[in-house]
Amino acid sequence: MEDAYVAPRPEWGSGTAAAGAEEAELLFGRALERVRAFRSVHGRLPEAGGRDEPDEPILGAWLEHQRHRRTMDDLPPWKDNELSRALGSMWWNGQDGGRPPLPYH
């Protein structure tokens, strides 16, 4: 029997300096693990508009936020490295694991 994807609501926290660097790292790690688990079950990264799992929109929005921060050169290098290590080097441009295009008929 395959392991089912379990998506409990995350404790995202604020991720701000007020939350503390240690807490921010922990929250980032939890979110990244949930995205990685989603990908292992569905074979693609979550999308903000996706509906395969109840929390897919939340995970997809989180991933889009990380992409935006990278584009704006605002993503700390350690987070970029962790995302690339866990999801592959193409995580940031949406090329890795997205939905396949619809066939033309």
Side-chain angles (χ1 to χ4, degrees):
M1 181 176 169
E2 284 188 43
D3 291 334
Y5 171 71
V6 178
R9 286 279 176 202
E11 295 296 328
W12 296 112
S14 65
T16 64
E22 188 173 311
E23 181 184 356
E25 286 182 35
L26 180 63
L27 296 172
F28 177 85
R30 286 180 188 165
L32 179 55
E33 179 56 33
R34 292 189 53 218
V35 169
R36 193 189 63 71
F38 180 95
R39 181 177 178 199
S40 73
V41 170
H42 295 284
R44 62 177 181 80
L45 296 173
E47 300 171 9
R51 298 288 183 254
D52 286 347
E53 295 287 341
D55 280 349
E56 182 178 4
I58 295 168
L59 297 173
W62 180 83
L63 192 55
E64 283 184 8
H65 180 70
Q66 305 311 308
R67 289 177 180 135
H68 175 74
R69 289 189 67 192
R70 186 180 196 276
T71 300
M72 301 304 294
D73 202 25
D74 186 41
L75 185 67
W78 71 268
K79 288 185 178 182
D80 193 0
N81 291 337
E82 288 295 311
L83 285 157
S84 293
R85 192 169 52 119
L87 304 176
S89 61
M90 300 299 282
W91 71 269
W92 55 270
N93 67 5
Q95 299 273 331
D96 187 58
R99 293 184 190 273
L102 295 174
Y104 292 101
H105 289 259

